[in-house]
């Protein structure tokens, strides 16, 4: 029991560290690599939960996470970046220090909140939910602070990593739902990809600031 | 009564052990660096000879220097020496065990740093001022990270006394904890910055644009310089001992275990020191110094690691309670 807890704590904690690395990283290929590493950690974490709690259906979730998010999506994004020709640095609205401080505050908030709310639940569930909420909030933060459309996609995907982690912590999420969520993420990637290429065609840039020009209230 | 005497003797041995090995550790780091750069390098005993040479030389003091300038080296050495003598090395639970508090340690080092910065500004040269202001910038970033690391360990071991933390980790079953790994990373980064080591400052250069520690001690000579250099070498030993006692406490003997256990503990401690010095040398030759304005990012990273460590330690404590 204690051993099982230690390993799952290690993997979930490393996922949180990967989220912070995503926030910190300003080179676009490094962002992709960190995201792939986080997805692989997610797959290991889900697989470990499946093994230690005897829930074999989690292996399927782990396999989906590994193949789709660990390999397919990073490779697809990599090719998208090469085709867009944006190997340059990622631009950010806030500076890195402030972003990281906000991230720390969000993490502390989610840990305190989940530990208070779920006082009656099992240890695994509390731990998983607390870290998952932190990862979700960090994914949201990444989507807010980035101006490049591709890194915003990565932020969305990392948010979804947190959702899967929360789902494995809480028992009772049916497999059908997990599979459909996984594929809807894949669909979302296609939609994003089309959208990003349309933005680039229209504005010659994937910087979201370019969209500000089409707002009606700006003269 | 006899027990108290043994504890006192042990504390005395520790006090003189750290100051005796301090120049040798610096010597090993320099030697390893030189060998990796395919130079022969000076012998490991060279820092001792340098100190003796400086002690024999005349101390030149600027005309407008105040008493602070002359008193500062001794005060810095005293603060650093007290701090280094409190960090557990070869045995835990010695005479002044009750004083070896993590927060007190940070305060002692902070006092030494404040005096050094004042002394750097005392003569009124521009380099001293630059060095002091940079040192303070590094300190404001490094100190919170260090306190957070020490509090993480204290949260896990339920005490802020360093020997008791070490005892706790010797006794506790070996577990994989992310929080401890993060704390180790953060403390190592802080130690590199505090000791003016390479990604933050280069101890081997006197290039005006980059130096921090060297800029503050530029006006010192003779015995004053010898004392300040000894204090810097002692600080390096202090940080290595701190990391070793918190994260690699194995081999440390209980204070009342007898002479044989003490010798075994001292041998492991010296082995750890040599290992850390070699590692530091390899680290220093393999990376480049960063710009002074990027130091805040480096130490901000240390702060983030330390904060995450304490959050995860808190989570583990709450969940497994």
């Amino acid at each position: 029991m204690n051993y099982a807890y230690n390993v799952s704590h290690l993997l979930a904690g490393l996922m949180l560290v990967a989220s912070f690395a995503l926030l910190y990283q300003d080179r676009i290929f490094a962002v992709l690599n960190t995201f792939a590493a986080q997805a692989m950690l997610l797959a290991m974490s889900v697989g470990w939960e499946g093994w230690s709690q005897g829930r074999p259906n989690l292996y399927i979730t782990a396999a989906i996470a590994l193949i789709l998010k660990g390999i397919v999506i990073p490779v697809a994004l990599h090719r998208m970046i090469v085709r867009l020709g944006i190997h340059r640095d990622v631009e950010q609205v806030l500076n890195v220090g402030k972003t990281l401080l906000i991230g720390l505050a969000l993490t502390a908030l989610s840990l305190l909140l989940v530990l208070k709310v779920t006082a009656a639940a099992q240890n695994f569930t509390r731990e998983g939910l607390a870290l998952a909420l932190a990862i979700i909030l960090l994914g949201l933060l990444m989507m807010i602070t980035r101006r490049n459309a591709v890194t915003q996609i990565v932020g969305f995907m990392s948010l979804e990593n947190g959702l899967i982690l929360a789902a494995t912590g809480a028992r009772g999420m049916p497999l059908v739902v997990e599979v459909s969520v996984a594929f809807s993420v894949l669909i979302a990637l296609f939609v994003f990809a089309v959208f990003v290429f349309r933005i680039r065609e229209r504005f010659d840039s994937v910087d979201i600031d370019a969209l500000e020009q089409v707002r009606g209230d700006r003269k | 009564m006899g027990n108290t005497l043994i504890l006192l003797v042990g504390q005395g041995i520790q006090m003189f052990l750290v100051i005796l090995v301090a120049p040798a550790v610096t010597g090993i780091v320099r030697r390893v660096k030189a060998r990796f750069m395919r130079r022969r390098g000076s012998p490991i005993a060279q820092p001792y000879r340098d100190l003796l040479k400086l002690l024999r030389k005349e101390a030149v003091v600027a005309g407008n220097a105040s008493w602070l300038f002359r008193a500062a080296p001794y005060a810095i050495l005293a603060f650093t020496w007290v701090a280094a003598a409190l960090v557990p090395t070869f045995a835990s639970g010695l005479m002044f065990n009750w004083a070896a508090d993590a927060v007190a340690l940070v305060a002692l080092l902070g006092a030494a740093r404040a005096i050094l910065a004042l002394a750097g500004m005392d003569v009124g040269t521009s380099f001293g001022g630059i060095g002091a202001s940079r040192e303070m910038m590094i300190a404001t970033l490094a100190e919170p990270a260090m306190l957070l690391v020490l509090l993480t360990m204290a949260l896990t071991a339920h005490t802020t006394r360093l020997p008791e933390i070490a005892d706790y980790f010797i006794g506790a079953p070996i577990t994989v904890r992310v929080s401890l790994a993060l704390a180790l990373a953060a403390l190592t980064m802080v130690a590199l910055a505090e000791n003016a080591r390479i990604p933050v400052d280069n101890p081997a250069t006197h290039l005006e644009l980059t130096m921090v520690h060297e800029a503050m001690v530029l006006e010192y000579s003779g015995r004053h310089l010898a004392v300040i250099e000894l204090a810097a070498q002692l600080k390096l030993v202090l940080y290595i001992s701190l990391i070793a006692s918190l994260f690699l406490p194995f081999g440390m003997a209980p204070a009342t275990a007898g002479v044989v256990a003490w010798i075994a503990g001292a041998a492991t401690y010296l082995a750890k020191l040599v290992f850390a010095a070699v590692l530091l040398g390899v680290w220093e030759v393999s990376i480049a110094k960063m710009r002074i304005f990027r130091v805040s990012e480096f130490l901000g990273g240390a702060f983030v690691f330390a904060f995450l460590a304490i959050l995860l330690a808190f989570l583990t404590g709450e969940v497994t309670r």
Side-chain angles (χ1 to χ4, degrees), chain A residues 25-29 31-32 77 80-81 84-93 141-156 192 195-197 199-200 204-211:
Chain A
Q25 208 37 269
D26 54 3
R27 272 180 274 275
I28 200 156
F29 284 129
V31 167
L32 284 189
L77 285 175
M80 192 195 283
I81 291 165
L84 287 171
I86 41 166
H87 312 279
R88 56 184 170 77
D89 281 358
V90 172
E91 293 160 3
Q92 287 174 315
V93 175
L141 180 65
M142 185 173 174
M143 289 175 72
I144 295 170
T145 52
R146 301 288 174 143
R147 281 166 52 180
N148 185 305
V150 178
T151 39
Q152 288 188 345
I153 297 176
V154 173
F156 175 78
F192 283 145
F195 196 55
V196 166
F197 278 105
I199 294 175
R200 214 264 312 243
D204 285 335
S205 160
V206 285
D207 192 328
I208 296 302
D209 260 12
L211 291 180

Side-chain angles (χ1 to χ4, degrees), chain B residues 201-243:
Chain B
D201 187 8
N202 190 346
T205 183
H206 279 242
L207 182 67
E208 294 87 349
L209 290 176
T210 59
M211 55 191 188
V212 179
H213 178 80
E214 292 298 323
M216 281 186 293
V217 303
L218 204 59
E219 293 292 321
Y220 279 110
S221 58
R223 57 178 189 279
H224 295 148
L225 184 60
V227 168
I228 281 197
E229 292 211 330
L230 184 60
Q233 291 161 355
L234 204 53
K235 198 172 172 187
L236 180 62
V237 170
L238 184 159
Y239 272 93
I240 295 175
S241 314
L242 184 65
I243 292 174

Side-chain angles (χ1 to χ4, degrees), chain B residues 37 55 62 69 80-81 83 85-86 94 124 143 183 199 213 223 236 238 247 265 267 271 287 298 314:
Chain B
M37 294 169 177
L55 280 179
F69 185 80
T80 318
W81 196 4
L86 288 180
L94 294 172
E143 228 164 60
H213 178 80
R223 57 178 189 279
L236 180 62
L238 184 159
F247 297 97
I287 58 162
F298 179 76
F314 168 76

Side-chain angles (χ1 to χ4, degrees), chain A residues 2-198:
Chain A
N2 203 17
Y3 181 56
Y5 168 76
N6 275 330
V7 174
S8 70
H9 177 77
L10 173 73
L11 292 169
L14 285 178
M15 278 183 70
L16 186 64
V17 176
S19 271
F20 272 94
L22 281 177
L23 277 183
Y24 174 78
Q25 208 37 269
D26 54 3
R27 272 180 274 275
I28 200 156
F29 284 129
V31 167
L32 284 189
N33 291 340
T34 317
F35 168 71
Q38 191 187 35
M40 284 177 189
L41 283 171
L42 173 72
M44 279 158 70
S45 170
V46 173
W48 175 260
E49 298 281 321
W51 189 78
S52 65
Q53 300 179 27
R55 292 158 67 193
N57 61 332
L58 285 182
Y59 292 138
I60 303 175
T61 317
I64 293 175
L66 181 66
I67 295 170
L68 270 189
K69 310 182 79 183
I71 300 167
V72 174
I73 292 181
V75 169
L77 285 175
H78 195 283
R79 294 182 60 181
M80 192 195 283
I81 291 165
V82 172
R83 277 189 57 196
L84 287 171
I86 41 166
H87 312 279
R88 56 184 170 77
D89 281 358
V90 172
E91 293 160 3
Q92 287 174 315
V93 175
L94 284 168
N95 67 4
V96 178
K98 276 182 200 156
T99 313
L100 287 179
L101 281 181
I102 295 172
L104 285 176
L106 285 176
T107 312
L109 175 76
S110 57
L111 293 194
L112 289 175
L113 182 73
V114 172
L115 287 178
K116 274 252 161 54
V117 171
T118 61
Q122 272 187 325
N123 285 346
F124 271 117
T125 316
R126 296 177 76 194
E127 159 109 13
L129 280 180
L131 291 176
L133 182 61
I135 293 170
I136 291 170
L137 290 179
L138 290 177
L140 276 176
L141 180 65
M142 185 173 174
M143 289 175 72
I144 295 170
T145 52
R146 301 288 174 143
R147 281 166 52 180
N148 185 305
V150 178
T151 39
Q152 288 188 345
I153 297 176
V154 173
F156 175 78
M157 299 286 165
S158 131
L159 183 156
E160 209 266 338
N161 279 348
L163 284 179
I164 299 275
L165 187 67
T168 43
R171 283 168 180 267
M173 175 144 155
L175 188 62
V176 183
V177 179
E178 278 176 32
V179 172
S180 61
V181 165
F183 280 100
S184 60
V185 167
L186 200 60
I187 305 284
L189 179 73
F190 288 130
V191 175
F192 283 145
V194 172
F195 196 55
V196 166
F197 278 105
R198 289 299 300 272

Side-chain angles (χ1 to χ4, degrees), chain B residues 44-309:
Chain B
I44 288 169
Q46 189 63 40
Y48 293 102
R49 294 183 197 149
D50 287 348
L51 288 179
L52 287 178
K53 182 189 76 182
L54 284 171
L55 280 179
R56 280 198 302 267
K57 282 197 163 188
E58 181 192 8
V60 180
V61 177
N64 56 349
S66 70
W67 59 270
L68 185 83
F69 185 80
R70 280 186 297 273
Y74 306 106
I76 292 163
L77 180 68
F79 278 122
T80 318
W81 196 4
V82 168
L86 288 180
V87 177
T89 55
F90 65 92
S92 64
L94 294 172
M95 182 78 181
F96 295 117
N97 190 7
W98 51 269
D101 186 277
V103 182
L105 186 78
V106 176
L108 282 169
L109 290 174
R113 181 169 32 231
I115 294 173
L116 181 61
L118 284 178
M121 291 187 292
D122 185 59
V123 187
T125 58
S126 51
F127 279 140
I130 289 178
S133 98
R134 287 177 177 173
E135 175 83 4
M136 283 298 131
M137 182 194 86
I138 291 172
T140 48
L141 295 163
E143 228 164 60
M146 179 160 172
L147 269 177
L148 279 178
V149 169
L150 293 175
L151 289 180
T152 306
M153 310 307 283
L155 198 65
T156 316
H158 304 291
T159 170
T160 52
R161 285 185 198 163
L162 294 170
E164 289 173 16
I165 296 177
D167 277 343
Y168 173 85
F169 281 107
I170 292 176
I174 293 178
T175 51
V176 194
R177 292 238 178 96
V178 204
S179 54
L180 295 190
L182 287 170
L184 174 60
L187 189 57
T188 312
M189 287 159 95
V190 168
L192 288 173
E194 292 272 359
N195 284 295
R197 287 289 151 181
I198 251 185
V200 176
D201 187 8
N202 190 346
T205 183
H206 279 242
L207 182 67
E208 294 87 349
L209 290 176
T210 59
M211 55 191 188
V212 179
H213 178 80
E214 292 298 323
M216 281 186 293
V217 303
L218 204 59
E219 293 292 321
Y220 279 110
S221 58
R223 57 178 189 279
H224 295 148
L225 184 60
V227 168
I228 281 197
E229 292 211 330
L230 184 60
Q233 291 161 355
L234 204 53
K235 198 172 172 187
L236 180 62
V237 170
L238 184 159
Y239 272 93
I240 295 175
S241 314
L242 184 65
I243 292 174
S245 72
L246 290 180
F247 297 97
L248 296 167
F250 62 85
M252 200 183 283
T256 49
V259 177
V260 180
W262 277 11
I263 293 174
T268 5
Y269 171 64
L270 291 179
K272 287 180 206 167
L273 274 186
V274 171
F275 178 69
V278 171
L279 218 57
L280 179 60
V282 174
W283 163 262
E284 287 211 313
V285 287
S286 39
I287 58 162
K289 186 190 165 310
M290 56 174 68
R291 283 173 64 214
I292 188 87
F293 298 112
R294 291 204 54 202
V295 168
S296 59
E297 261 177 50
F298 179 76
L299 286 172
F303 180 77
V304 169
F305 279 161
F307 203 100
L308 275 181

